[in-house]
Structures are given as structure tokens and as C-alpha cells.
Amino acid sequence: MNRAIVEFTALSLVVLGCWVLSRLSHRQAAEPDGGYPARREFDFDLGSMWKSVVHWTTTTNHREIGTLYIIFGTFAALWGGIEAMMMRTELLTPNASIWSTETYNALFTSHGITMLFFFVTPVFFGIANYFLPILIGADDMAFPRLNAIGFWLLPPSLLLVRGGLPSQVIGQFLRLFDVHGPLFQFFWTLRDPELGWTLYTPLSTQSSNPQIDFLLLGLHLSGIATTLGAINFIVTILYERAEDVGFDSLDIFCWNLLVTSGIIIFAFPLLGSAAIMLLFDRVLGTTFYAPQGGGALLWQHLFWFFGHPEVYIIFLPATGLMSFILPKFAGRKLFGFKFIVYSTMGIGVLSFGVWAHHMFTTGIDPRLRASFMAVSIAIAVPSAIKVFNWITTIWSGRVRLTAPMVLCIGSIGTFVVGGVTGVFLAVIPVDIVLHGTYYVVGHFHLILMGIIPFMMVAASYYWYPILTGRMYDRQLALFQSLLLVVGSVVTFGTLVIMGLLGLPRRFAIYPAEFASYQRIATIGAYLLGISVLLWLYNMLWSYWNGTPVKTADVWGLKRTHQFTREWQWFERRLEEKYGIEPTEPEITRPAATSVPGEGSPNILVGVEPLINTIPRIAGAAAIGGFIGTMLMSGVLFTATVLGVFDLVSFSDLAGFVGEQGVVIGYLLFLIGGMTTWALLFAVLAEYLPGGPRIITGLAFATIISVGFGLAFYTGQTGLHLLAYAVFVLIAHWFYGFGLSATFEYLSERWEVA
Ligand code: HEM
Ligand SMILES: [Cu+2]
């Protein structure tokens, strides 16, 4: 099939569908009721259309620019999403029967680039533009015009990066009319590149497709746009806060944006420089990445020095949204606010020190490799702190299962598996086996899909009343959220399994025995696609037909004193515009207390004594970790003797680290077990919720075992598989038990923790 035409048609159909839907829903739109006006009619006379074009292209209002960003990002998401569906359709059969292998290569390249640069960052910038000034009590961004420029650089950069597809469509169109000559040739030579989103040299220097040059320029331009935006956020947060917003009372979403913007400032200029050097190699004959210059490894170092921070650039705003939204529906304050801020900053710094974990298999010096392994594992600690704080926030809260909350919980689940698989990839021996397989694709999609769009959708529901003054269809939203979670787990969980079974990534053709797995993944992907369309439908339809909100306290946030600034702003607006009076709930309860069982323990009290006791309790924690790890090893050895756990391949893996592989591997395992989790436990021990610490320990161990089980799965089936899973679980329970029991015991005798 002709890919360009199919893709172009599908995208046009979705966009057209949105337009038709908005026309239809507007025709049926509810009559005005009382003080609440119906939406304005679409005006079709040229004069007013021109006026609104001028208005929207010249606006410097942060909320309007935010809206533009969100619409642009949604469009890019649909484009990239259609490509994802096309790839999964191709993978239904083991041979390349629907698209050619070249087309498949082009599809995964443009899918990745579109999603990372034109969907995720713009949508987060949109949300930030809309809400950041409101959340910090500013009138607008610090540099409104720079803000507008930052946005308007994006459409041309998208066109430069994705020019291959439109030009191919135009070329085919011209051919219909039998046009020849240089114009025709021009459109015919540009094609979507087939490089992968990492643009690895020497492929990217040698490929003759001129579209790659445009792509590099476009990436450069989008980098400039992103950097401008980041500077604006930083200055706005530093200088435009209202008098009563100090850094201690800056909300968690803005904190995350601040750190993200900081990372952007260091990461994107680097990408820009590296891309320009690549462009020079291609068109001016320089030799930056040629063997006589820096070689192909230079590109990889430069690219990943940008690339790893980039994954956090797109991940941190999502965690910010989670930390912001989750407490509202858990009915209690965010647990461990300070620790979440610290962990965010920690990630910001560490993210620049781990890039070479993407290059473990390139033959860099083993001693260098080992240090990158250590830092990569260390970066999991701040990520884990976030997860524990979220779980703990839910733990003794009173959860309301609205659509945003379903997405928050689903996100935590997918992030845990995504994060733990990441930790395993950070271990050199495991990475050597799994690098280049679907396992990696599963790892990053569980995070990229399982927290970023989840949180964007959650935010779109949570703030829908502020954005539109109406409520979305809640039933549909609940269904859509569930479908999104299920679709992601099915799709990307299957990818992890296929990777463990050894299927290499980035091939259109694959061995036939994987066909049924691929089909399951594709079905999951279609569920995702349907879920996205349902979301789009809900957003558009409810814009015209949703029930108008009658109070600003849509979510009952006043009850738990969580009626944050953006809602207060909304309340004032409702009163000014429609005369809707503020409401007060009958009963309120504290969102945080230190009384057990009532609200949350307040971590802000007593940070200092905690820090003083850390050295003392760390020792106790290490003992617990040692006992636990010993017990865990015992269970795993038993499982080996029974033949359900494959110790041989497990210890073979350790051999990759160095000569004394097995011993070093085991020592690493032991020391890791004794310190990492034990320290986490020690730091949080005082605040661990839910009654006995032992239950908490077991619960956390259960969570960790999922990732472990997946990572060290060696192909067991049937009863063996069951036994394997049971042993992994028991081993981790022993670990959790050893750790928490030691704590429980010591806390009575020594008053540790
Ligand atoms: C919890 C800490 C994390 C660790 C230790 C970790 C570790 C790793 C490692 C070692 C790889 C390289 C695998 C290989 O190519 O063989 C990798 C790949 C990747 N990770 Fe993570 N990761 C973590 C979190 C994240 C997060 C939060 C994101 C995104 C938001 C992410 C996105 C990616 C992406 C996109 C790739 C694949 C890049 C590519 O080859 O195309 N990771 N991760
Ligand atoms: Cu990385």
C-alpha cells in the first residue's frame, strides 16, 4: 500500500472528524440557562474569520498561547499515533506484507521524533503556559512576546522535520496531473528518513535523502523554541511570584517545571550543536563524525548526553502533574512534599551523568561502563522516592475513583514496571543480553506511554471545568481511562515479554513464532487508539454540550483544604462573569495531621531530627538488608535446586562484568540489597503508613518483585512458570520481611527511626 497516501488520508480524516463533530455538537448545543450563556456561534463571514486569525496569531496572552500549544501538541500526537497504528498493523504478520521494510523504518523514525519533540514537550508547555502564572499569582509570563515567538517557531520546525511526508503526497498528486520537470523532481526526492530517532552516524551522514538536512534544521529550530520557553518559565517562577508565594509554598507542579526548564537549558543547546555538526558533515564535508574525526562514537556520546536528560525533561512534568492531582482525589496532602522536591532536583542533576548506559554494548572501557552502571542505578532512588510518596499518599487517604484518579493509579503501576525494567537495563550484564530487543522498547514505553499521556489526560479531565466552564461526560471518561490503562499494559507488557524471549527491535520482518505475541500487542495498541479517539470525542462534545458548572468547587476540594490557587482564580471568574457565588462545604477535615489514622502524617515537621538519626538508623537498616538478602538468596537457591529458577544463566550474566564475575555480581547484589532499599526504608521509616512497618515492607517487596520476575524470566512455561513466580514473590517477601522486622525490633530497643 502507498504509505504516504494512507497516512495523509488517515490524519485528514481524524482532523475532519473533529471538525464535523464540533459542528454537530454545536448545532445540538444546550440553550442558555439562566445566567450561563450558550457558546458563541461559529462565524463564517470572512471579516470576522480574518479577525480571529489575526487575534490568534498575534496573541501574547499566556492562556491563549497555552491553548495553541495544546492544540498543536494534540495534532502531533494524532499524527505520531497514526504512525504507531500503521507499524502495529504491519507487525500483525511475520513478513512485510502491508508496508515495505523501508516504509516500516521510516515509520518508526518519524513516530519517535514526532512524539518526543512535537507532542510531549509542546503539550506540557501548553499546560504550563496556561496554569503556571495562575498558580504563582502572576498576571502573565515574564516575557509574553518571547512566549509567542517560542510557540510560533514550532509549526515551521514541524514542517521542516516532517516535510518528507507532505512533499511525497504533493509529488504523487503532481504525478496524477502528469507534471514533470524540476518541481516534480524536488517533491519526489524528499522522503521521510529511515534512521531511527537517535539519528546514529554513519547511517545519518551517508544517507543521501536531502530530507535529513531539513530534519536537522527543524530539530535545531525546535530546540531554540524549547529553550526560549524554558528561559521564560524559569524567569517567571523566579521573579513573577505573588508576594505570598515563597519557595516553601510553591506548588509541586511549578517545582517540577522549574527543574525541567533547568535541564532543558543545558540539554537542548547541546543537541543543537551536535545536529549542526552533523549537518556540516553532510553538506560541507567536515569530519566531526567520520573515522578520521571523532568517529561514530562521538555522535553517540553527544546525542545521549542530550538524550538521557531529554527523557527526564518529558517525564518530570508528568510526575509534577501526578504529585499535584493525586492528593486531590486521595483526600489528603501530598506525602513528603519536601522529599519529592529534593528527588526532582536529584534527578535533574543525576540525569546528566548516566548517558553512557545507552552505549554499554559499544565497547567503551569496562571501568567507565561500571561507573555509569552505578550512577544509573542510583538515579532509580529518587524515582523510587516519588513512587513511595505517591503510594503513601493514597495509603491512608480516602480515595475517590474518578477518571483522573484511575489514571494516577494506573500510572503508578506502569511506572513501577517501566522503572524497574530500567534498573535492570542499567545493569551491564543484563543490558548486554537485552539491548536491541523489544525489552528496551517495552521499558521506555511503559514510562513514556504509561505516565506521560496518562497524566496529560488526567489533567485534561481535572481542569476541564476551568478550561471550558463545563463538565465532561464522566461515565465515558471513566471507561476511556480504564481502556487506556488496559491497552498500555497489554501492549507494552507484551513487548517486555517478547524482548525477554529475544526478539530484536526495529525489524518489520520477524520469526513466525512471535506472531501471536505481536498480535496481542497490536490488539492492545488498537485499544489505545480507540481510547484516544474517545477522549477526543469527549473533549469536543462536552465543550458544547457538557453541563455548565455551578460551583468552582467541582471536586469538593474545600472539604480537605486543597482548593488551590487555580480554582480560587476560577471561583473569582465565575463570580465576576456569571454571578455564581462561592460555596462552602458543611464539614471540612484536615488534609494532613500527625495523628495516626487521621489524614496524613506531616513530613515537614521533624525533618531535622530525622536527618540527625539517619547515620544511626542506616546501620540498622543495613543489617536488615543483609538478613533479608541472605534469606532471599536462600529461596532463590532452593528454587534453583527445584529447577524453576535458572541460576546458571543468572550467574552467567554476572560474568559480563569482569573476570571474577560471579563473585562480584553476587557482592553487588548483596551490597545493593543492603544499602539502596534499606536506606530508603531508613529515611522513610518514621513516616511509613498503614500500621505495622512489616506490612509496609511486604507491600513494597511485592511491588518490586514484579519487575524482578519480568527481568529474570528465562522462558519457563506452565507449572514451572507458576513456581518461578511464586518463588520470586516469596524471595522478595523474605527480603521485605527481614528489613522491616529488623526495624520493628530495633525501634523498640534503640529507639531508632
Ligand atoms: C528509573 C530509572 C531509569 C533507568 C535506570 C533507566 C535505564 C535505561 C537504560 C539502561 C536504557 C538503555 C537500554 C538499551 O538501549 O540497551 C534505557 C533506555 C531508554 N529509557 Fe530508561 N531508564 C530509567 C528511566 C527512564 C525514564 C523515566 C524514561 C522516560 C521518561 C526512560 C526512557 C528511556 C528511553 C526512551 C530509552 C530508549 C532509548 C532508545 O534506545 O531508543 N527511561 N533506560
Ligand atoms: Cu537513559
Side-chain angles (χ1 to χ4, degrees), residues 202-218:
L203 188 59
S204 54
T205 38
Q206 283 164 8
S207 169
S208 61
N209 181 354
Q211 172 55 29
I212 296 173
D213 304 323
F214 290 116
L215 166 82
L216 292 169
L217 285 171

Side-chain angles (χ1 to χ4, degrees), residues 256-307:
N256 273 271
L257 285 175
L258 185 62
V259 175
T260 309
S261 306
I263 306 180
I264 288 176
I265 290 203
F266 289 100
F268 266 91
L270 187 111
L271 172 73
S273 323
I276 291 296
M277 283 153 72
L278 184 57
L279 189 67
F280 282 1
D281 267 14
R282 286 178 54 81
V283 296
L284 298 182
T286 53
T287 54
F288 292 113
Y289 306 116
Q292 63 269 39
L297 265 193
L298 175 63
W299 169 261
Q300 292 203 19
H301 278 299
L302 293 180
F303 181 84
W304 286 115
F305 190 75
F306 150 81

Side-chain angles (χ1 to χ4, degrees), residues 533-731:
L533 292 180
L534 288 179
W535 170 81
L536 206 59
Y537 168 83
N538 201 347
M539 290 290 117
L540 288 173
W541 186 265
S542 308
Y543 177 76
W544 297 98
N545 291 293
T547 333
V549 291
K550 294 279 174 3
T551 160
D553 192 13
V554 198
W555 301 117
L557 300 178
K558 286 183 177 169
R559 260 184 309 177
T560 51
H561 307 290
Q562 299 200 74
F563 196 67
T564 35
R565 269 175 179 270
E566 81 280 25
W567 294 104
Q568 295 166 15
W569 171 85
F570 183 51
E571 186 165 64
R572 284 196 300 277
R573 243 169 77 97
L574 280 185
E575 195 170 9
E576 282 160 20
K577 268 178 92 173
Y578 308 121
I580 296 176
E581 299 276 320
T583 50
E584 277 310 321
E586 278 171 15
I587 343 164
T588 64
R589 64 184 172 82
T593 91
S594 48
V595 184
E598 237 185 70
S600 90
N602 190 346
I603 197 133
L604 298 180
V605 182
V607 170
E608 230 183 85
L610 177 69
I611 289 172
N612 293 338
T613 50
I614 282 183
R616 200 151 46 92
I617 54 182
I623 296 173
F626 179 74
I627 298 175
T629 317
M630 279 296 157
L631 286 170
M632 184 178 187
S633 316
V635 177
L636 290 179
F637 275 109
T638 314
T640 313
V641 174
L642 293 180
V644 291
F645 185 73
D646 190 355
L647 191 70
V648 178
S649 59
F650 187 67
S651 56
D652 273 356
L653 289 179
F656 288 110
V657 181
E659 283 113 58
Q660 299 86 13
V662 181
V663 182
I664 294 181
Y666 186 72
L667 283 181
L668 269 178
F669 180 65
L670 194 65
I671 295 169
M674 277 172 64
T675 49
T676 314
W677 297 108
L679 264 176
L680 253 184
F681 234 81
V683 172
L684 295 177
E686 192 172 343
Y687 305 101
L688 289 179
R693 220 165 271 148
I694 290 178
I695 296 180
T696 318
L698 291 183
F700 287 164
T702 311
I703 295 168
I704 296 164
S705 66
V706 177
F708 187 94
L710 277 177
F712 290 114
Y713 174 70
T714 42
Q716 300 90 335
T717 50
L719 267 185
H720 268 89
L721 180 61
L722 188 68
Y724 168 72
V726 170
F727 269 105
V728 167
L729 194 64
I730 293 179

Side-chain angles (χ1 to χ4, degrees), residues 197 304 311-312 315 358 376 422 425-426 431 435 443-444 447 505:
W197 81 280
W304 286 115
V311 306
Y312 284 99
F315 162 73
H358 296 271
S376 303
L425 284 176
D431 187 65
H435 174 80
H443 151 67
F444 67 77
I447 301 174
R505 68 193 269 208

Side-chain angles (χ1 to χ4, degrees), residues 138-375:
D139 299 336
D140 202 323
M141 299 290 287
F143 309 117
R145 258 183 279 186
L146 195 67
N147 204 16
I149 294 171
F151 172 75
W152 286 106
L153 288 182
L154 282 182
S157 67
L158 178 68
L159 200 67
L160 280 171
V161 170
R162 295 302 318 268
L165 185 82
S167 78
Q168 246 175 296
V169 173
I170 296 173
Q172 284 171 2
F173 190 69
L174 290 179
R175 190 159 64 172
L176 284 184
F177 295 96
D178 215 22
V179 179
H180 288 285
L183 181 65
F184 174 72
Q185 280 308 325
F186 173 78
F187 285 115
W188 213 230
T189 44
L190 295 185
R191 291 164 171 274
D192 262 358
E194 303 161 26
L195 303 171
W197 81 280
T198 50
L199 310 176
Y200 275 176
T201 56
L203 188 59
S204 54
T205 38
Q206 283 164 8
S207 169
S208 61
N209 181 354
Q211 172 55 29
I212 296 173
D213 304 323
F214 290 116
L215 166 82
L216 292 169
L217 285 171
L219 276 188
H220 196 76
L221 196 60
S222 91
I224 294 173
T226 309
T227 314
L228 289 183
I231 292 172
N232 215 345
F233 290 135
I234 293 179
V235 178
T236 308
I237 294 177
L238 293 185
Y239 292 108
E240 302 288 314
R241 272 169 298 133
E243 304 255 305
D244 57 332
V245 184
F247 275 111
D248 50 345
S249 55
L250 187 65
D251 65 273
I252 194 75
F253 179 56
C254 293
W255 263 115
N256 273 271
L257 285 175
L258 185 62
V259 175
T260 309
S261 306
I263 306 180
I264 288 176
I265 290 203
F266 289 100
F268 266 91
L270 187 111
L271 172 73
S273 323
I276 291 296
M277 283 153 72
L278 184 57
L279 189 67
F280 282 1
D281 267 14
R282 286 178 54 81
V283 296
L284 298 182
T286 53
T287 54
F288 292 113
Y289 306 116
Q292 63 269 39
L297 265 193
L298 175 63
W299 169 261
Q300 292 203 19
H301 278 299
L302 293 180
F303 181 84
W304 286 115
F305 190 75
F306 150 81
H308 190 84
E310 162 70 5
V311 306
Y312 284 99
I313 289 171
I314 59 187
F315 162 73
L316 285 180
T319 65
L321 286 176
M322 168 88 82
S323 302
F324 194 80
I325 296 175
L326 180 91
K328 309 287 170 64
F329 296 96
R332 55 180 280 182
K333 243 189 189 158
L334 179 64
F335 175 83
F337 181 91
K338 260 193 189 175
F339 282 116
I340 294 204
V341 173
Y342 293 151
S343 74
T344 309
M345 292 184 188
I347 288 177
V349 176
L350 284 177
S351 67
F352 283 96
V354 300
W355 77 91
H357 66 209
H358 296 271
M359 301 162 63
F360 283 156
T361 55
T362 54
I364 49 175
D365 189 314
R367 285 163 300 182
L368 265 183
R369 264 198 329 206
S371 67
F372 276 101
M373 163 168 147
V375 188

Side-chain angles (χ1 to χ4, degrees), residues 415-476:
F415 177 64
V416 167
V417 183
V420 173
T421 47
V423 176
F424 285 110
L425 284 176
V427 179
I428 301 163
V430 180
D431 187 65
I432 287 176
V433 176
L434 293 174
H435 174 80
T437 69
Y438 267 81
Y439 186 89
V440 176
V441 189
H443 151 67
F444 67 77
H445 276 92
L446 278 168
I447 301 174
L448 291 180
M449 181 74 206
I451 184 159
I452 295 168
F454 279 25
M455 283 304 110
M456 288 175 179
V457 173
S460 73
Y461 288 142
Y462 174 62
W463 281 320
Y464 198 75
I466 296 191
L467 296 171
T468 65
R470 288 171 197 257
M471 201 58 195
Y472 55 83
D473 182 336
R474 299 177 78 151
Q475 209 97 24
L476 182 62

